[in-house]
Structures are given as structure tokens and as C-alpha cells.
Amino acid sequence: MRILVLVLLLQRASADSLIASEIVDLFYPPVREQAASANCPHNGPSLRRWSGASTWPSGSVPRSGQDVVLPAGTKVLIDAPLPGVFGFITVPATSELIFANSAITVDALGFKVLGALRAGSPTCPISSNIVITLHGTRPTGQTQRPDWYKGIYVEGTLDLHGEQPWPAWTRLRVPANRNGRELVLQHEVDWRVGDVVVVVTTALQDSRDWHRNEERTIIATGFQWMPDGGRVSKLTLDRALEYDHYASTAYQAEVGLLSRRIVVQGAAANSPPTDTTPARCEETPAVVRVTDYAPCPNTYLTGYGGHVMASGSQSTARVAGVEFYRMGQTNIIGRYPFHFHMMGAEGGARSYMHGCSVHESYYRCVAVHGTSNTSVSENVLFDVIGHCVYLEDGVEENNKITYNLAALVHFIGSPASDLGQQIAEVTQSANLAIPADIAAAGFYITNTNNEIVGNAASGGWTGFSFPLLDAPIGLHRNVAMKPSARPMLRFEGNSAHSSSFWYQSAGAMYFGGKLYIENDVLIYDAGRQERDTCTKLLEPDKGCRTTDDLWMTLRSTKVYLTMGNGLTHWGKRVEIIKYEASDVGLGLSILGFDWVDQMLVQCRTGLAPQLPCKAGSGCNDWETAGRYWTSRGFEWYDTNQAHILTNITFRRCGVYEHAFVGPAVAPTLRRGCGDGEGKGCSRFSTTWSLLAFSDRHVPEMMQLTRDVKYEDCGRIFRFWNFLTDYGTPMANGLDSPLSARLQNWMDVDGSAARVGKPSILGSATPDANDWWKIDPTCELTEAGAPLYACPLREQRDVASINMIWDQQLAAQLGDTVCSNGDRNVFCGKLGGVRHWGRTGELPITPNGEVTGPSGGFGWHLRWNDGPPRNLIIEHVQVSPSSNLMLSIAYPSGTTFEIKALSPSWCNPCNNPPWCHRSCEHEFSSLSSVQQVRESDGDTYYFDGNILYLRLVQPPWDYTGYPNWVFPENPHPPFSRGGESITKFGWGASLSISAFSCGGNAGVHCTGAVTSAVPAPCPNGFVQTAIDQCCREQNGSPTNSCIGIHGESSLPLQPYTFCDKVDQMDDVREKDQWCNHDLRPQISSECVNSYATVYTGPTMRKLERCFTRGASCLKTDSEESAIWCPRQRDERCAATDQLQDLQAKDPPEWCNSDQVRRASKEECEKTYVTTHTGPNKHGKTFTQRLRCRHVERDNEENACVMRDAHFCIEE
């Protein structure tokens, strides 16, 4: 009996041998406790048998072909199979139709349930096989059928309760290989011999025309003990598997149970589609990136299975342990396998769909329509046309969608696809009733104010789809709400795989696309769309106030096996906490203001890819994958973003190239994703990808990282330009686009660049002319990489401004000048900006945006045609803790009017105490550069040749209260995980108007200007950095240095080997150390390899390798050994007992119960330890508590923990 098995499972639940993910937590439903059957409706009083003539007013039992209406006020029991096929069976409002717990079959054209239809109850599940078959042919033309035609239509109560399996689905514990007949699962399951299971694919594609899902029948069940002591189920199948199904720490194939005791199905004769050929059609390369084929768009449109609909707020629908087979009616709205229809919050709260299966569905799995508070849980959903779990109109909220498995989901028509961010819109039609079905997903969530936990999706255009609905659709189109602005209630423990195959940006989880109504027709745009979530809208159809902004939070999310992105979120705000991506094209693509914490991107696991053949590939999976399956860890977008990434690990990402990664590895170890085309990765594969093709959209200070780790990675950094990468010059007037020259990010602990201390990373492209090389200690992040790493110290930061000096020129941006990746569009040099005291210039182009290092002496601006008469500086992004001075040379005699201007929506008032607000503020003139530097940013100085001003970031919507006040924090920064990125405002600006500067008209002043650049250092000093001058002695700088305010400044400290040692792949990864034995290698690689020896908690000894012939050996020369002292945490620096603690090797610990029998002397020498790290520098420390001696009842000698703590680095 299943009940007894469940009791045993309860006893052994803790012994389940799950393969734990490295970071995320994947959830399974709790084991259900099932007591003995009670409250069985088929055992209730006053039942009248269907087969009894006295039950029917006519005195005769209904026959095949007849419509049947149950007598009013009766409970009719079906306790045996009913012969034939009935017409419509109607259950009046005062009646009930009840199934006995017996083998029963009923065939009918449909059921109209105004009273109740029952089979079992929540406490009395059916254990026998009950099969309800629905008959009917697809109507032609405009023929209308009633809601109960080929369906079960409910306005009363539907109670169908079969025995529910536990769990309804699980994952493999060990791989299930081709030709094998056994499955070892992660749980003990109560599945039975004769049940049908589906083993879900672990291939890259999962679609109708090519997939690797396999249905099999169980012929034997048993158990297997695992090495970890857990006991799991082992199933024997009726026939061997045809394909490999993987199970590793990265991911494991799902296994779902399709069989249930109660079956509701469409008739075999008239349910399946008749238009199933051809199955595969050739597609253009723009549509399909990998294979030459796709499912044919005009097939599988005629499926006409059964359907179940519970309608209205007075209805109740509770189904559990039911199998829905050959259900759903393609492109007929409302005809789904199971449909919660317009039940509202009350009807939804009474209803649920638990532990069911839906397979071979011709339209959806379960639709939640105009219904809230319901539960869809523990269902297995397989082989489905159109969106599977479907929130229909966008008003559905507070539903629980938990622990479901959806696999092999088919889009309708041609898949939404393009090579860019935008996709052509698709309009509703007879062959596409809901245009969003061109991007069908396992889970289609139109309103995120729902609980979505523990679900898994395979296949589909994407696994989870979150389209943008600015307004509800369908029957709720007139409801005043904005579904896309609703908060994310809960999204946790979900996984998706084998999708993102048809559109690279789709992702296995996709937050994009838009569905809307225009002229009473639905239109769907599958491309880039950003959502604005908030607590309160300005108006029902408008956006959010900044103070009401909400972030969507995704927790414990796992994606794998995607041709494109692992997850795509087009913005505006998302937090992703605990995220794993494995075997993906791109680990993660997110836009907006986002935080990612605890992420593992395993670009390649080493498992052989399974995917359809590409023409000319010879069916070589690795070759096909290498050509079309990129291996990139994370991509920085190009403008108006704020990304904070913390606790990030990349594994086997990036192409292995000697020029980029230094020492080679053992021949048996493929580093990164491989060494190029045909090896499972591309020559463009990289760990970090930075968009660098645009002259129009360019980066501000947008990105920050902390605690980044690389494990067996190849190339780390790469600028991506879809033109030059393929040999096509941009021909924009310079060697690189502006977005490449302005690339930057804050590496707050140096871990991203592997330099071991806080750094600013900035572009090293040649025509940036060392703009980002802050001082001589800066280094390239890796050989050949276009990024400098420069120490982050004192006031150093990154600032950004946008300048407009020619309104006509600015109006042409993105069109005739400075395009977004188009060829032969001019964006050449119109001037330059340089750091004070420097000679190299960053070009100023028609796009007047400049981003660069701040906290230095200043930026000097120059235009080829002379300084501008009118200069607007907007989008100012300057941290209050950093200093940015601007200087511009003007003709002698020039006068100025300089004003800070608020946005157009600013409303000035001076009515204390109610209102103090100004919208415009005029700058005043001072008499020295240093006075301006120390001012609050509303002053300027003109020395007769050069104009100086300090640039500060103004508030968003005013200039003062009413007088100018230095904006300490004009805009709340984007802050997460203890890190912050300064925001800039869109409306505020600075206006500089120059008069008497030569000529009477034109954009530029025509008077003569000096070519001199401000010299920041006083006499006797030499400039050593953009922010430092040091006293000169014998032509060289000394260690006596000053900063931008004349304050004392520490001498520059170059990156040292010991700074980098913890970040170096060569040292950390044992496979790349010199072996004690000979290792064939070339000389240059030997010199860059090391063997390491630990000599205690505070030292690490590194021995450089040397070459002997063509081999590497570990040197035995102590003189060549490198010793790196490790930094002690500040908490432990003052601990004078450190040596005492270190001396105990091995130490004696207190027992875990914090009590140990010992003498007093032993207690005083004993310690207990707890880990308190790693800290922000990536160091791990141990907190040790000294023990003390106490006396206890009947225990004269005992040790317990003491309060004092000591720290020692591990």
C-alpha cells in the first residue's frame, strides 16, 4: 500500500542521498503524512447507484449516446465501468456524481457540473484505476460549442483525489548511460511496477524536432545504499535508454512519474493533431544559430484534446493525484488541461492542483486565470504545446506555484528570434491565438506577485518567462493596474535548462518581452523590454517614484545547458542571490541597477555536449558546439547601469591562449573552455566580456566587484565588438569606438584583476592614450588584455560627465555621427581631455561623454576649433568623497556666466517654513585654483588664460534650500553588500556661457588661447601620478610627497608578487605547479611556474621553477625562493597571545559539547576554534576561545569555553 510506503519514507527522509549544489539550494516538497482513509464520499450515506434503475426518474439506466441529467437532490455512485459513450452528463446544483474506489471507465462528450463531481477526498485518495475519457471532434468554421463540450465544466465543486506519489519527480543520483536499464534516484520513491516515468534530457536542445527525453515503464523497484550512507531508490526499466542522461555536481537529469490512479484524457481517435508532418523545416541562419532546422511553423495546430474548467468565484476545484493525458485544444483560448477560470481570491483559496501529471497536451498544462490564492504544486508536466503553467491576464496574485517539473515545451509557429536585442512583433491570428506562444515557456508569469519555489523547467523557448504587461489583458483589460510593476513575492530554488536555443538573449530564464492590446488585437514583442517594479505607481499606467523603487529578488537559481544566456533580465532592478550556471553560452546577462551575490559560473563542465548536427560538422558535437556555443562568464553592458557583483567564482571560462594566461598546463588538463574552435568554445570566449562596439552608448562608472575567484579559466578579459571581431573596420575616424576607450570598473579588493589589493580597472586601448593609467605602478590585467589595473587609494574614484556644446551636432548623435555599432559613421577627434600635467589626450568626439579617474589634480578640456561659447555639462556622476576639477583655456578678456540648473520640473519657492527651494544658482568668482578646489562646487576662477571650476554632483530636483549647499549625498547611491555606486541624475546640468571670447557668432570662441596645461606641482616637486607630487632630488622623486590638497601623501607602492600570490592560478591550482618529477615544458613557461610549500600559518614559501633542457624542475636553491608574509586581520593585529596559539601544533581542542574531562593544567593549554572568515580581503581567520577549568557535579575535572578570543589566520 502506498500509505505504508509513505510512512517508511517519513522514517528515512533524512537519509536521502541528494547531490548538493555548490551554492544554490534546490527545494523538494516535504513528505506527506497520510493516515488511514476517512471521509470517503463513496462510503457516505444516501448514495444511489448509477446502475440502479430506481435511481432514474424514467425507470431505466442511461444508455450510450444519451445525454444524462442526474436527478435533483441525489448522490449518484458509479461503482463499475459504464459501457459506451454518453453525450453530456449534467450534475444539477443539488446533486453529486461520485466515483467508487474501483476500476471504472466513463466515456462522454462532456460534463456540466453545477453540483459536485467527486472521486475520493483529501483524506481518502483513490487507489484504483479510474479513467474518464472525453470525446468530440474539432469544430469547423464558426461553429460554437458549449463550455462542457469535450470537457469537464464546473460551476460547483470538483473533487478528484487519487493517490499522490512522493515525490512526483526527483533527479538522478548517478548518471544513466545509453544502453542502461537502471535509474538510481536521489530519493526513496513510492513509485510502482507498471508506472511510466520520463527521464528528462541533458542535451542542449529540447524541442519537438530534436530532443533526448525518454519515456519508460518500471518493471522492478529496489534500493541502493550510497557511499554517504544514504539509501535511495533504484528502478529497472522495461527497455534500455537510447541516450546519456547526466548526473554530476553541476546538474542532474530530472525523472518524473507520469502515471496516476485517476486519468482524465481525450479520446485517442479524435484528440491528437493530424498535421504532424513534416516535423523539421530548414530555417535561415538569422533564426537558428546552431542547427539548420527547427520545428515546422505550420504543423501541430489541430490538436483537440479534452479540457477541465472550474469557473466563477462560487466554484471549488481540488484535484490531486490525477493524470491529464491528450488534453488541451490548440489555439482555443480557455480550453486547457486544467483551468482555474475567474475564481477570484475566495474560489482560488479553496482550490488546488497537487501531485498531478499532464502529458501530451495540445495547449498548455494549467491556466490560472482571474484567480488568486490558489496552489499549483508537485505536478509533472511533459510534452506540451504553448506556455505550460500559465498566468493568463496579469491580475493573478498570491498563488503558490511550487515544486513542479515542466519539460519538452513547444512554441507555436516559428520561434521568436533575431541577432540583436529587438525582435519583430507578432500579431494575434487564427494560427496563433496568443502571440506570446512563439516564445513558449514552462512557466509563464505575467505577474510576479506570486510564490514561485522549487520548480524545474526543461526546453521551451525559455524555461521561465516573465513578460511585460503594462496593463492586464483579456477579461481584465479594463482593470486599473500595471502587472509589470508588481513586486516579486518569492522566487527561490528554481532551475531551468536546455533552452535559450532559438534566441541567444532569451536565457533559460527570461525577464523580457511585452504583450499588449492594440485595436482589440494582442501583439507580442519578444525582445528587450525593461520593467519598473515599485510599491506604488504614480498612476495605474505610469512609472514608479524613485522612493518607491523595488528590486526583484531571485534566490537560489540554477541554470544550465543553454546555447545563449543562462538568465536574461533586461532591467531595471534585480537582486540575484545564490546563482549557478553551468555549460552555458553566457553565464548571466542583466541590465539596470543590480546586485549579484554568491554566483558560480561554470562555463564548461567537461561533459560532452549533446546537440543536433550542423551541416558540414560531420555530426561532431564538440565542433558544432565550439562554433556556435560561446563560453563567457559575465557581460558588462555599455551604458547607464549599476552592477555590484560580490562573491563570484568562474570555472573553466574563456579560451585558453598562451598569450593571455601565461604558463601552460598539463596536457591532460584543458584549461578554460578549450583552445579555440572545434573544442567546445570559441576564439571569442572569455570570462569577462565588455561591450565595446558603440560610439553612441558608452559607460559611466557602472560596475564594481569584490571577492572574485577564477578556477581553471582561460582568457579573463575581452572587449566585444561584433564588427572588428570579424575583421570589419568601424571606420569611425579613430582606431576604436568610444565605448572601448571609456571601459572601467571598480575592483575593490583587486580580486578581479588578480592583483591582490583595491584597484581601478580602465581601458588600455592605444587611442585612449593612457587616460586610465593613473600612475606608473598600473599594470595590464593580463598579457594582451585592453585593461589597466591601477591601485585604488586616497580620493581616487571614477567620474563621468556628458558635454553638449553644439546643439545641432548633439541632435545627430546615433544617426549621422557616433552610431551604435554602424560602419563608416564619423565619431572622430574634435578635441581632447587630459589629466593635469600629462601630455596624452583622451579624444573628445561628437559624443561629449567623458568617463575617467577622479580624485586627481584635474581634467583639462580642449577643442580643436576653440573653446565653446556655451557648454552644458549634464549627467554628472562624481562621488562626494572624490574631487573633480575641470579646466578650459579661454581667450584673455573672456567673461563668464556659470549656473547650476535644475530639471524642468523643479518648482522654485521661498516661503519659509513651508518651502525653501531654488531651481537655479549662479556661480561666484574666486581668486585662486586652490580656493575653487576647496569650495562647495559653486565657484570658478579665471586666471586670464584658463577657466577653473570644481564639479560636484547636484541634487536631482533643486539647487538649494534656497541657498547652495554642498550636496554630500545628492542622490542615494546604489548600495549592496557593503559596496556603493554613485548615481547620476538626468535633469540637472551646469551651464557655462562665455562672452567676449572672439567673434560674435558661432559655436566656438575664435580668440587665441594658451596651449599650456595646468601644472599641478609646486617648485621643487615632480609629478608622479594624476594625484601626487613628490619632492625632487637629483632628478628623481623622493618619498616626500603631497596630494591634491597639499596634504602628505604616501609614496606609490607597485603591485608586488606577494600581493598577487593568492590570486594566481599558477600557484593556487595544483595542476599548474611544477611536479617533483620532470614535466615537459618550454623555458618561458617554467620561469612563470611555481611550487609552493606551506611553512606555517603566517608564511607561504614559493619556489620558482627552472628549466633543464625541455623540462621543468623545482629549484632547490634557497636563494631563489620567494617568501610572502600574509596579512593579519585588523582584529587580530594586537593579539599578544598569537605566538602562544601558534606554538601548539597540533593544538588541543575542546570537545564540541564544550566540556572535556581534563586537569586544570590541561584546560589552560586547550583551545576551541570557530571560523570567522573570510573577511573582505579574502583571508580566512580562525577565532579560538581559551578553555578554563570548572568543577561540576560528580565531575571534578572539566574544561569549558572561556569568553576571551584570539585570532589566527588559517
Side-chain angles (χ1 to χ4, degrees):
M1 290 290 292
R2 187 181 298 274
I3 294 174
L4 295 178
V5 175
L6 283 172
V7 172
L8 291 174
L9 286 171
L10 275 168
Q11 295 172 349
R12 299 205 51 81
S14 61
D16 284 343
S17 187
L18 304 181
I19 302 180
S21 297
E22 294 188 52
I23 291 177
V24 307
D25 303 307
L26 296 180
F27 302 142
Y28 291 95
V31 179
R32 286 180 302 276
E33 297 188 49
Q34 293 193 7
S37 294
N39 299 317
C40 299
H42 51 271
N43 293 331
S46 304
L47 298 180
R48 304 180 70 175
R49 298 176 63 210
W50 177 290
S51 58
S54 61
T55 299
W56 307 99
S58 64
S60 60
V61 177
R63 296 188 304 274
S64 175
Q66 292 182 331
D67 290 339
V68 180
V69 179
L70 269 63
T74 61
K75 296 181 180 180
V76 178
L77 175 70
I78 300 176
D79 58 0
L82 300 185
V85 179
F86 292 90
F88 296 126
I89 298 176
T90 301
V91 182
T94 58
S95 300
E96 298 185 12
L97 180 60
I98 300 171
F99 286 80
N101 191 359
S102 304
I104 296 172
T105 59
V106 176
D107 291 65
L109 294 184
F111 293 77
K112 181 180 180 182
V113 182
L114 305 178
L117 175 61
R118 305 185 192 277
S121 71
T123 57
C124 181
I126 296 294
S127 58
S128 301
N129 293 321
I130 295 176
V131 179
I132 300 173
T133 303
L134 301 167
H135 296 255
T137 58
R138 191 180 187 97
T140 58
Q142 302 299 315
T143 304
Q144 296 293 320
R145 301 291 190 186
D147 290 336
W148 45 92
Y149 180 72
K150 203 171 186 178
I152 301 175
Y153 174 78
V154 182
E155 289 185 4
T157 297
L158 178 66
D159 257 329
L160 300 180
H161 298 272
E163 288 185 341
Q164 294 184 62
W166 190 92
W169 61 277
T170 181
R171 293 179 170 92
L172 290 177
R173 179 63 175 80
V174 299
N177 296 322
R178 179 184 180 185
N179 297 324
R181 293 180 56 196
E182 290 186 342
L183 303 178
V184 179
L185 308 179
Q186 291 194 30
H187 291 87
E188 288 190 36
V189 301
D190 60 354
W191 306 349
R192 299 173 177 177
V193 171
D195 285 348
V196 176
V197 298
V198 57
V199 187
V200 177
T201 185
T202 48
L204 276 161
Q205 184 178 348
D206 188 17
S207 64
R208 179 187 298 120
D209 66 314
W210 194 97
H211 67 89
R212 294 292 183 262
N213 303 284
E214 303 188 69
E215 292 184 49
R216 295 292 186 271
T217 301
I218 301 171
I219 62 172
T221 62
F223 300 105
Q224 181 166 318
W225 290 97
M226 303 309 299
D228 59 8
R231 193 177 80 172
V232 298
S233 286
K234 181 170 67 173
L235 309 180
T236 303
L237 308 178
D238 60 333
R239 53 194 174 92
L241 296 170
E242 296 182 32
Y243 310 108
D244 291 331
H245 299 266
Y246 296 139
S248 67
T249 54
Y251 50 84
Q252 313 91 40
E254 299 93 351
V255 183
L257 184 68
L258 299 178
S259 300
R260 299 293 187 273
R261 302 284 81 84
I262 300 176
V263 178
V264 179
Q265 63 181 12
N270 48 33
S271 293
T274 56
D275 55 343
T276 59
T277 57
R280 304 184 77 189
C281 291
E282 292 191 30
E283 293 284 356
T284 63
V287 174
V288 182
R289 299 173 52 254
V290 180
T291 178
D292 297 309
Y293 301 94
C296 294
N298 296 314
T299 57
Y300 287 86
L301 299 177
T302 58
Y304 195 73
H307 75 96
V308 178
M309 177 192 291
S311 180
S313 61
Q314 300 304 309
S315 63
T316 299
R318 301 186 298 179
V319 295
V322 179
E323 178 181 347
F324 296 93
Y325 176 50
R326 293 195 298 257
M327 300 286 281
Q329 300 170 5
T330 309
N331 278 324
I332 301 180
I333 294 175
R335 301 298 186 257
Y336 316 128
F338 198 82
H339 186 184
F340 297 99
H341 178 70
M342 305 297 289
M343 299 177 73
E346 293 183 4
R350 295 191 301 267
S351 304
Y352 54 76
M353 178 182 179
H354 289 172
C356 297
S357 74
V358 178
H359 59 114
E360 195 178 320
S361 169
Y362 312 125
Y363 206 35
R364 318 225 182 285
C365 301
V366 53
V368 180
H369 182 202
T371 302
S372 298
N373 300 329
T374 197
S375 175
V376 178
S377 185
E378 301 178 52
N379 302 292
V380 176
L381 316 166
F382 174 68
D383 191 10
V384 181
I385 295 175
H387 293 297
C388 182
V389 177
Y390 180 69
L391 302 189
E392 191 156 345
D393 284 359
V395 300
E396 299 80 16
E397 297 193 333
N398 295 303
N399 297 290
K400 296 182 184 298
I401 301 172
T402 56
Y403 314 122
N404 302 285
L405 167 64
L408 193 58
V409 176
H410 314 296
F411 46 79
I412 299 176
S414 294
S417 186
D418 204 291
L419 298 179
Q421 296 180 353
Q422 305 303 326
I423 298 178
E425 293 179 338
V426 176
T427 302
Q428 187 177 31
S429 66
N431 287 342
L432 192 62
I434 301 296
D437 280 320
I438 64 168
F443 299 87
Y444 177 77
I445 311 299
T446 56
N447 186 319
T448 56
N449 194 23
N450 290 281
E451 187 172 321
I452 305 165
V453 176
N455 303 285
S458 175
W461 188 83
T462 181
F464 291 76
S465 177
F466 297 83
L468 186 80
L469 271 68
D470 283 335
I473 62 170
L475 297 176
H476 297 87
R477 60 183 301 176
N478 295 320
V479 175
M481 70 173 295
K482 187 174 183 179
S484 59
R486 300 295 289 145
M488 175 73 84
L489 185 58
R490 186 185 178 195
F491 188 88
E492 187 169 9
N494 299 292
S495 65
H497 64 92
S498 305
S499 59
S500 182
F501 193 84
W502 311 101
Y503 175 46
Q504 183 176 9
S505 296
M509 298 185 180
Y510 186 65
F511 294 80
K514 181 176 182 178
L515 185 65
Y516 63 98
I517 299 174
E518 187 174 282
N519 298 324
D520 292 326
V521 175
L522 279 173
I523 299 174
Y524 181 65
D525 177 351
R528 175 179 173 179
Q529 299 286 340
E530 67 177 25
R531 65 178 59 224
D532 208 3
T533 51
C534 52
T535 57
K536 183 179 180 181
L537 290 170
L538 293 171
E539 296 178 26
D541 59 343
K542 301 297 183 182
C544 305
R545 293 183 179 89
T546 302
T547 54
D548 296 327
D549 285 348
L550 283 179
W551 269 255
M552 302 179 72
T553 301
L554 317 181
R555 297 184 184 276
S556 285
T557 304
K558 188 166 189 170
V559 295
Y560 50 96
L561 290 167
T562 65
M563 288 302 303
N565 302 343
L567 183 150
T568 297
H569 195 296
W570 289 118
K572 291 183 176 179
R573 293 175 292 276
V574 64
E575 297 173 333
I576 301 177
I577 314 298
K578 292 188 177 182
Y579 175 80
E580 287 185 30
S582 300
D583 283 336
V584 290
L586 173 64
L588 182 64
S589 177
I590 53 175
L591 275 66
F593 286 70
D594 310 317
W595 179 36
V596 181
D597 182 54
Q598 302 173 71
M599 176 174 78
L600 168 63
V601 176
Q602 192 168 203
C603 292
R604 292 296 173 266
T605 62
L607 296 170
Q610 302 177 59
L611 71 166
C613 297
K614 181 75 175 176
S617 70
C619 276
N620 183 319
D621 286 346
W622 276 112
E623 180 179 345
T624 303
R627 292 163 61 195
Y628 299 93
W629 190 27
T630 60
S631 167
R632 295 177 294 153
F634 187 86
E635 184 170 84
W636 296 118
Y637 199 62
D638 53 12
T639 193
N640 190 27
Q641 311 291 306
H643 294 337
I644 296 175
L645 274 63
T646 53
N647 302 301
I648 309 299
T649 299
F650 295 103
R651 185 178 299 153
R652 297 189 72 174
C653 296
V655 61
Y656 168 56
E657 298 177 37
H658 290 247
F660 295 112
V661 299
V665 299
T668 56
L669 181 66
R670 176 182 286 135
R671 189 170 184 169
C673 61
D675 56 8
E677 310 298 343
K679 299 294 184 182
C681 71
S682 159
R683 67 183 184 276
F684 305 132
S685 299
T686 181
T687 305
W688 298 97
S689 176
L690 298 90
L691 295 189
F693 58 80
S694 183
D695 283 314
R696 178 65 183 95
H697 302 301
V698 299
E700 301 80 30
M701 192 276 149
M702 310 187 308
Q703 44 223 31
L704 179 153
T705 57
R706 190 192 71 219
D707 296 321
V708 177
K709 297 178 181 178
Y710 305 102
E711 297 178 2
D712 194 18
C713 286
R715 185 166 187 178
I716 302 299
F717 304 102
R718 193 178 195 283
F719 287 4
W720 180 61
N721 185 324
F722 63 85
L723 292 173
T724 58
D725 281 350
Y726 292 93
T728 302
M730 291 198 65
N732 64 347
L734 288 165
D735 293 334
S736 68
L738 181 57
S739 56
R741 297 190 293 274
L742 299 189
Q743 288 294 342
N744 69 92
W745 91 60
M746 283 290 185
D747 184 7
V748 297
D749 60 355
S751 58
R754 300 175 295 178
V755 292
K757 60 184 178 182
S759 300
I760 295 176
L761 310 187
S763 175
T765 55
D767 50 359
N769 293 315
D770 286 345
W771 170 246
W772 292 96
K773 194 172 183 179
I774 298 174
D775 64 47
T777 68
C778 299
E779 297 181 1
L780 288 175
T781 52
E782 59 184 343
L787 278 176
Y788 283 120
C790 299
L792 179 60
R793 45 173 278 164
E794 298 177 356
Q795 288 192 14
R796 290 179 180 178
D797 211 313
V798 173
S800 183
I801 61 174
N802 186 60
M803 301 181 294
I804 300 174
W805 61 92
D806 184 336
Q807 295 290 345
Q808 290 184 345
L809 183 66
Q812 300 174 46
L813 289 178
D815 187 9
T816 58
V817 296
C818 298
S819 73
N820 187 31
D822 298 318
R823 294 191 64 241
N824 299 314
V825 178
F826 177 77
C827 198
K829 185 174 182 179
L830 302 182
V833 55
R834 68 183 72 180
H835 297 288
W836 290 7
R838 291 278 191 89
T839 57
E841 282 188 331
L842 175 77
I844 291 178
T845 72
N847 183 346
E849 188 157 345
V850 176
T851 303
S854 63
F857 293 108
W859 296 356
H860 186 68
L861 307 171
R862 181 193 63 81
W863 280 261
N864 295 344
D865 295 334
R869 295 182 187 275
N870 295 288
L871 176 63
I872 299 295
I873 300 177
E874 61 180 8
H875 301 172
V876 177
Q877 183 187 33
V878 182
S879 169
S881 62
S882 188
N883 192 284
L884 179 59
M885 292 285 291
L886 296 184
S887 62
I888 308 172
Y890 274 93
S892 177
T894 302
T895 59
F896 300 93
E897 182 182 72
I898 303 177
K899 293 181 178 180
L901 304 175
S902 291
S904 58
W905 59 80
C906 181
N907 182 22
C909 63
N910 187 12
N911 184 23
W914 311 109
C915 179
H916 291 267
R917 183 171 57 246
S918 59
C919 299
E920 182 177 304
H921 180 78
E922 186 168 350
F923 284 28
S924 58
S925 174
L926 297 179
S927 56
S928 74
V929 173
Q930 200 60 27
Q931 283 181 330
V932 173
R933 185 185 300 279
E934 305 299 334
S935 75
D936 286 341
D938 63 338
T939 63
Y940 69 94
Y941 168 59
F942 183 54
D943 66 1
N945 293 297
I946 298 177
L947 170 70
Y948 300 89
L949 55 91
R950 180 187 178 187
L951 202 59
V952 298
Q953 182 166 329
W956 276 344
D957 51 3
Y958 60 89
T959 57
Y961 275 138
N963 298 319
W964 180 270
V965 178
F966 177 74
E968 292 283 352
N969 191 16
H971 319 299
F974 175 58
S975 301
R976 291 294 187 277
E979 309 296 344
S980 297
I981 294 177
T982 301
K983 294 181 182 179
F984 64 85
W986 286 97
S989 62
L990 178 68
S991 171
I992 302 174
S993 298
F995 306 97
S996 303
C997 61
N1000 296 318
V1003 171
H1004 299 274
C1005 300
T1006 58
V1009 298
T1010 179
S1011 60
V1013 177
C1017 297
N1019 291 334
F1021 284 76
V1022 61
Q1023 187 173 358
T1024 56
I1026 68 165
D1027 55 356
Q1028 186 184 74
C1029 297
C1030 296
R1031 192 173 297 278
E1032 185 180 14
Q1033 183 176 350
N1034 299 325
S1036 299
T1038 67
N1039 288 336
S1040 177
C1041 305
I1042 57 174
I1044 62 173
H1045 300 284
E1047 77 284 8
S1048 177
S1049 175
L1050 294 174
L1052 301 178
Q1053 296 292 330
Y1055 296 114
T1056 68
F1057 178 84
C1058 291
D1059 289 330
K1060 304 175 187 178
V1061 68
D1062 286 336
Q1063 302 296 332
M1064 291 181 59
D1065 289 346
D1066 311 323
V1067 175
R1068 192 181 65 252
E1069 299 174 12
K1070 290 180 183 288
D1071 288 321
Q1072 285 133 49
W1073 296 343
C1074 295
N1075 297 332
H1076 290 286
D1077 303 323
L1078 296 180
R1079 183 167 71 93
Q1081 211 53 265
I1082 60 175
S1083 171
S1084 60
E1085 291 170 343
C1086 289
V1087 211
N1088 289 319
S1089 297
Y1090 300 87
T1092 187
V1093 180
Y1094 287 94
T1095 59
T1098 59
M1099 289 286 193
R1100 173 182 281 178
K1101 175 181 177 182
L1102 298 170
E1103 297 180 329
R1104 189 181 297 275
C1105 299
F1106 73 98
T1107 306
R1108 176 177 293 167
S1111 301
C1112 290
L1113 285 178
K1114 189 174 69 173
T1115 180
D1116 52 8
S1117 167
E1118 283 296 320
E1119 289 75 19
S1120 64
I1122 302 173
W1123 295 76
C1124 296
R1126 304 193 67 183
Q1127 300 296 320
R1128 289 186 355 203
D1129 187 78
E1130 293 80 2
R1131 294 170 302 174
C1132 303
T1135 303
D1136 56 4
Q1137 289 90 353
L1138 196 59
Q1139 291 182 345
D1140 178 37
L1141 290 174
Q1142 288 174 337
K1144 297 182 68 58
D1145 187 24
E1148 298 172 0
W1149 313 117
C1150 295
N1151 291 347
S1152 58
D1153 62 0
Q1154 301 179 3
V1155 177
R1156 186 173 68 87
R1157 289 179 178 272
S1159 66
K1160 182 175 181 179
E1161 292 73 23
E1162 288 177 317
C1163 286
E1164 296 299 325
K1165 298 176 182 179
T1166 306
Y1167 306 87
V1168 69
T1169 184
T1170 55
H1171 288 280
T1172 61
N1175 68 0
K1176 64 181 181 179
H1177 302 296
K1179 312 292 186 184
T1180 300
F1181 288 86
T1182 297
Q1183 173 178 288
R1184 291 183 179 175
L1185 305 176
R1186 190 185 295 275
C1187 298
R1188 62 185 176 87
H1189 184 263
V1190 296
E1191 293 185 2
R1192 292 191 172 185
D1193 294 342
N1194 303 320
E1195 289 187 15
E1196 294 184 359
N1197 298 317
C1199 294
V1200 297
M1201 280 204 309
R1202 204 172 193 171
D1203 292 336
H1205 79 272
F1206 309 95
C1207 295
I1208 182 171
E1209 187 177 359
E1210 281 287 290

